[in-house]
Amino acid sequence: MSETAWEEQLLQRIAAKDSDALEQLYDRYERPVYSFVYRIVGDVMAAEEIVQELFFKVWNHADSFDMNQRTGKVSTWIFTLARNLSIDWIRKRDRRPAASGSEEDWQGVKDPETTEQAAMDRLMAEHVKEALAELNEEQKRVLEWVYYGGYTQQEISELHHIPLGTVKSRVRLALRQLRKSLGEVWREGVRS
Amino acid sequence: MTSQPYQPHGKNTECDNVELYAAGALDAAERAAFEEHLEQCAECGAELQELRKLMNLLPLAVDPVEPPEGMKKRVLGAVLGRSGAQEPGLGRQVDAARAEVDSPDEEASGRRRTEAGSASKRSADAGSAAWTSNAGSGRRTAAAGGRRPRLVALLAGAAAVMLLVCGTLAQRMDSLSKRNELLSGELEAAKQNLVQAQSELQEVMKPSADAAVSQIISLKPVKNMVAKGQAYIVVDAKGTHLIVQASKLPALKDSQAFQVWLIKGDKPVNAGTFKPVNGSGAITFTFQPDSFDQVAITLEPDAFGTAPRGTMVMAGGLKA
């Protein structure tokens, strides 16, 4: 069974309130999700609370993950939830208005050819790190603010006194650069 | 993805926002506007699919961090425990807990003391409680307690952090003291080496007590030379020494020097070079007891040769 299929089966069991399945999913994601959340919030206690909140949502909303439509990977769902909860937390801490990012962001991500295994993820992680390292400083900074800081383009423009158009183009260029760097890997790796 | 990674299609200004939307850099109003556009623009839709896949890769690149000790028990215990309870907003929980901690009123602080006292016990209870769904009904009551368990969780979390920090510090201390031991050992060994070297040096510096001349060799000049010379082989507690003394030596030009050799068969061993003053010079050379056939002096172009290059001046045979 592929990793994806295994995880989807776990989600089905979780939807049927199988706590062993939740534990298995937890074991699979504890470390990457905690690392990711901690990367955003930078706070050990908050990171644990968010992981708890995340698994609470998984436990109670596993049935909303519609695998028949193949709307997305389990990992995509989990990391999207993790990012949204983390960004909400830091925005609240910083007294910034709620991002109101929808938890449904992950839906509609049609990814029908994802059969890669965890090993592929690890390989991909290295490629992503390399691709991120290749960004120039301005692109790295703007991606940091947007992705890990949960700042909108408008906020970045105001906080850092950068014209809005410049913020826009830096985000755009950063993503294009990443796509370009990862283009080959993508075709060869994920789309197996 | 196509072989052309990305070309902005840009029919509409909203199309320019596809990356910002994917990255999450739009505010609520901008997002709504883009989503409206998205329904009309298939190209943006396709573009967004690709960009989201890209964004979904970013969590993979995060450096791994070790989760806190016991997190699994706490998380699964809480999740399975409060599965029947209403889902509280995360921010509210944190805010409520913080408000309680910050609360200045007397009653709250009294309660806080009590809770702090029993927090460790309760967190231990929570930790050991089974978190299977069977335990759900029991756990629900705790969750219904509202703010108090939040505080306990916070305190337990803080305690866990402290434990983690203490553990890390203890480990660090341990490794530092091990390193310290190692360095002390190295220092001790170095000191002993120094002491030994000093005593050896003292031995070398000590004047000879029982030096004995084992040979006196008369050095004979090669033809046309009037030089005179003698060599002594002296043995004492420190080793075997060659002492060569010569006079009436020819004058040297430029960087020329006289060089003394101990020769065994056809293999010369450099015993040192010297420059005479008023035609007279001397040299000493200490060597491992060995049998040499000859001692010789050559005239060399400079004082730094390791093998004879010049002409023989005088020589004498050694006893076996």
Side-chain angles (χ1 to χ4, degrees):
Chain A
M1 194 191 306
S2 77
E3 182 105 349
T4 309
W6 177 68
E7 290 184 353
E8 286 178 357
Q9 202 184 66
L10 281 183
L11 270 195
Q12 277 176 328
R13 287 168 55 198
I14 290 168
K17 299 299 175 196
D18 178 342
S19 57
D20 287 343
L22 184 71
E23 185 182 1
Q24 285 179 48
L25 192 77
Y26 180 91
D27 287 341
R28 160 79 178 86
Y29 280 101
E30 180 190 53
R31 205 176 149 90
V33 161
Y34 179 83
S35 303
F36 179 57
V37 169
Y38 181 80
R39 169 73 170 81
I40 297 176
V41 299
D43 179 317
V44 174
M45 280 173 67
E48 181 171 332
E49 280 213 43
I50 288 165
V51 170
Q52 184 173 314
E53 197 57 31
L54 167 66
F55 279 94
F56 184 85
K57 282 183 188 293
V58 169
W59 180 240
N60 287 293
H61 302 290
D63 52 354
S64 75
F65 181 87
D66 189 347
M67 51 214 77
N68 293 329
Q69 287 183 20
R70 313 267 326 178
T71 46
K73 286 195 294 173
V74 174
S75 64
T76 304
W77 184 47
I78 286 179
F79 282 114
T80 303
L81 278 173
R83 180 172 177 272
N84 287 344
L85 288 169
S86 304
I87 297 295
D88 282 350
W89 187 87
I90 57 172
R91 290 189 67 93
K92 209 159 266 174
R93 179 197 61 191
D94 300 345
R95 303 191 191 289
R96 284 186 271 156
S100 64
S102 73
E103 276 160 25
E104 282 67 47
D105 275 356
W106 63 276
Q107 288 181 345
V109 182
K110 288 204 177 58
D111 202 358
E113 293 161 282
T114 52
T115 52
E116 76 273 21
Q117 306 290 303
M120 194 64 85
D121 279 355
R122 281 194 290 279
L123 186 67
M124 186 57 87
E126 287 313 307
H127 288 305
V128 176
K129 274 185 198 173
E130 281 167 26
L132 285 169
E134 281 169 20
L135 297 180
N136 70 32
E137 286 310 309
E138 287 169 346
Q139 292 167 349
K140 277 182 199 162
R141 228 174 291 143
V142 84
L143 199 63
E144 175 73 30
W145 290 327
V146 168
Y147 190 69
Y148 294 109
Y151 287 93
T152 65
Q153 53 173 353
Q154 194 69 48
E155 289 168 329
I156 292 168
S157 169
E158 285 163 15
L159 277 168
H160 300 284
H161 310 290
I162 301 170
L164 188 62
T166 308
V167 178
K168 275 181 194 286
S169 66
R170 283 181 190 170
V171 171
R172 217 174 281 143
L173 288 172
L175 264 56
R176 276 181 217 170
Q177 175 63 41
L178 283 181
R179 275 178 75 174
K180 205 173 140 202
S181 306
L182 291 168
E184 289 302 316
V185 181
W186 206 302
R187 256 197 308 285
E188 293 161 12
V190 177
R191 298 210 147 183
S192 53
Chain B
M1 198 181 295
T2 62
S3 56
Q4 287 294 311
Y6 177 72
Q7 288 299 321
H9 49 281
K11 288 176 198 155
N12 182 305
T13 50
E14 279 298 339
C15 295
D16 287 345
N17 278 339
V18 64
E19 287 97 351
L20 291 128
Y21 181 82
L26 299 181
D27 64 26
E30 292 165 335
R31 200 160 44 232
F34 181 80
E35 280 165 1
E36 198 176 320
H37 162 74
L38 197 56
E39 288 176 14
Q40 319 295 321
C41 183
E43 279 166 290
C44 275
E47 194 60 35
L48 189 59
Q49 294 292 337
E50 293 295 313
L51 287 169
R52 276 182 165 161
K53 269 186 255 171
L54 178 70
M55 298 310 289
N56 290 339
L57 293 175
L58 295 186
L60 295 177
V62 167
D63 289 330
V65 178
E66 200 58 51
E69 186 91 21
M71 184 172 94
K72 180 179 172 181
K73 262 191 174 176
R74 289 190 299 275
V75 166
L76 291 180
V79 168
L80 296 169
R82 68 176 160 104
S83 58
Q86 204 187 357
E87 180 179 347
L90 175 72
R92 276 204 308 285
Q93 299 164 37
V94 177
D95 290 350
R98 295 222 165 131
E100 184 155 0
V101 171
D102 294 342
S103 167
D105 76 82
E106 219 23 65
E107 190 203 346
S109 73
R111 191 171 67 239
R112 208 155 56 233
R113 275 194 294 276
T114 320
E115 282 180 345
S118 60
S120 57
K121 183 189 176 296
R122 248 187 280 169
S123 66
D125 289 348
S128 61
W131 35 260
T132 60
S133 50
N134 294 343
S137 59
R139 311 271 329 145
R140 206 172 294 147
T141 327
R147 290 145 48 120
R148 286 158 54 103
R150 292 289 96 215
L151 177 62
V152 172
L154 274 181
L155 288 171
V161 172
M162 284 302 292
L163 274 175
L164 197 69
V165 169
C166 288
T168 309
L169 283 176
Q171 267 180 1
R172 180 100 184 106
M173 284 293 290
D174 192 38
S175 97
L176 280 175
S177 63
K178 273 187 191 136
R179 179 100 187 108
N180 198 7
E181 270 172 37
L182 193 70
L183 288 173
S184 302
E186 281 172 12
L187 183 63
E188 198 49 46
K191 274 183 188 164
Q192 276 170 7
N193 279 346
L194 185 61
V195 167
Q196 194 185 343
Q198 275 173 336
S199 77
E200 278 171 12
L201 185 62
Q202 272 176 351
E203 194 59 40
V204 168
M205 299 294 282
K206 254 194 340 210
S208 291
D210 53 356
V213 175
S214 73
Q215 286 193 57
I216 302 173
I217 307 108
S218 189
L219 300 176
K220 300 198 170 52
V222 296
K223 54 181 179 178
N224 306 331
M225 291 264 185
V226 291
K228 292 170 82 175
Q230 277 186 313
Y232 302 85
I233 303 292
V234 178
V235 178
D236 65 11
K238 294 178 222 166
T240 305
H241 316 280
L242 169 73
I243 300 166
V244 174
Q245 174 271 320
S247 59
K248 298 191 177 173
L249 289 162
L252 295 178
K253 284 178 233 156
D254 303 322
S255 59
Q256 281 182 327
F258 292 105
Q259 190 153 8
V260 180
W261 308 92
L262 281 167
I263 300 162
K264 167 86 173 172
D266 58 352
K267 282 186 186 142
V269 171
N270 176 17
T273 57
F274 66 94
K275 295 199 178 195
V277 176
N278 297 327
S280 294
I283 197 170
T284 70
F285 177 63
T286 300
F287 58 98
Q288 292 301 312
D290 201 349
S291 61
F292 289 100
D293 307 326
Q294 260 198 327
V295 56
I297 300 176
T298 57
L299 175 61
E300 296 289 322
D302 59 54
F304 312 109
T306 52
R309 294 162 292 173
T311 54
M312 183 77 85
V313 177
M314 52 177 68
L318 297 174
K319 283 184 282 182

